[in-house]
Amino acid sequence: VDKALANVVATARLPAAAIANANAVTTNAAGNVYVAGIATASFPTTPGAYQTNPPQGAGYAFIAEFPPDLSTIISATLLGSSSADCSEDYDTCRGPVGPGLFAGTTATSIVIDPSGSVVIAGYTSGIPAPLSVEPYNYGFVAKFTADLASLEAEAVFNPVGTPINQTYFRAMALDPQGNLLLVGNAGDVGPLSGSNLQPTAPGDQNGFVLKMDGALQSFLWGTYFGSQGVQGVAVDSQSN
């Protein structure tokens, strides 16, 4: 829509065969539009994209790039694996696509970093064995080249000593230095370091804020924030 919210400038629909939910959208410096969410294996990927023929699984994160007029799909990829049967040891659940992505992978947010790379965040779910144990849910972040042809980096939030946790990244923002701010909800995943605001979990389900470096190499600090989860985040010019 236009800036006055008065007119629809352009619209686009994914092909009917693509069973997909779009959860987040952003634009790059050229005005191209990137959409991310969750889809089935029938999602229309493009030749040369990072993952075009996924194994059978419960659902995949997707990213699709459109031109400013939304007239066609420039590039599109899926992200996920078929590694759904896990033991209680997290290290045995590492799927064939990156370190630790499971069969059910959902992208909930997307940003373009200062170098033009495409960064998505969300959560990835696996079914542990025995089935009486709750499914795993881990927050993840993944960085792709602008053309969605290569996975540059990936990280899964798996605090030491908590092999089974329920962690969901719900939203993400960039600070002026290119670091990532990630928010969502989680169980008690142990103390979060680097902040004195709320270092320990107040309950069984908790909001949180995490700061991660732009290369996806480490979590710089974290804090719990209330007991209802955090659904959105923005960063001002002072990095607040």
Side-chain angles (χ1 to χ4, degrees):
V1 296
D2 62 20
K3 61 184 179 181
L5 305 182
N7 298 287
V8 175
V9 177
T11 62
R13 294 186 66 180
L14 296 171
I19 301 174
N21 289 327
N23 295 326
V25 63
T26 191
T27 58
N28 66 7
N32 289 350
V33 178
Y34 288 85
V35 179
I38 183 172
T40 63
S42 62
F43 186 84
T45 57
T46 53
Y50 173 70
Q51 191 177 34
T52 58
N53 296 300
Q56 292 300 309
Y60 306 89
F62 79 86
I63 312 169
E65 178 191 10
F66 295 83
D69 64 1
L70 308 182
S71 58
T72 188
I73 296 177
I74 298 173
S75 58
T77 187
L78 295 169
L79 180 67
S81 84
S82 63
S83 179
D85 294 322
C86 307
S87 74
E88 293 186 27
D89 180 1
Y90 169 79
D91 289 332
T92 69
C93 299
R94 296 176 183 270
V97 182
L101 288 185
F102 302 143
T105 302
T106 301
T108 59
S109 53
I110 184 169
V111 297
I112 307 299
D113 76 5
S115 70
S117 295
V118 181
V119 185
I120 62 170
Y123 55 91
T124 182
S125 306
I127 301 171
L131 295 180
S132 59
V133 179
E134 286 190 56
Y136 298 83
N137 290 288
Y138 293 100
F140 80 91
V141 188
K143 179 191 289 193
F144 292 84
T145 52
D147 60 3
L148 306 182
S150 300
L151 180 66
E152 297 182 313
E154 183 184 273
V156 176
F157 184 54
N158 177 44
V160 175
T162 57
I164 298 178
N165 70 60
Q166 305 294 325
T167 304
Y168 303 85
F169 288 155
R170 302 294 188 185
M172 172 177 55
L174 280 168
D175 73 8
Q177 291 74 45
N179 297 312
L180 299 171
L181 276 297
L182 298 145
V183 301
N185 58 287
D188 185 349
V189 295
L192 297 177
S193 62
S195 170
N196 293 322
L197 182 62
Q198 198 170 21
T200 58
D204 294 331
Q205 282 296 316
N206 313 283
F208 66 84
V209 183
L210 296 174
K211 185 175 184 178
M212 188 176 198
D213 73 288
L216 311 190
Q217 296 300 304
S218 61
F219 291 97
L220 304 177
W221 57 255
T223 182
Y224 292 101
F225 192 79
S227 59
Q228 300 300 314
V230 181
Q231 303 296 322
V233 61
V235 182
D236 68 15
S237 59
Q238 303 301 312
S239 297
N240 296 312

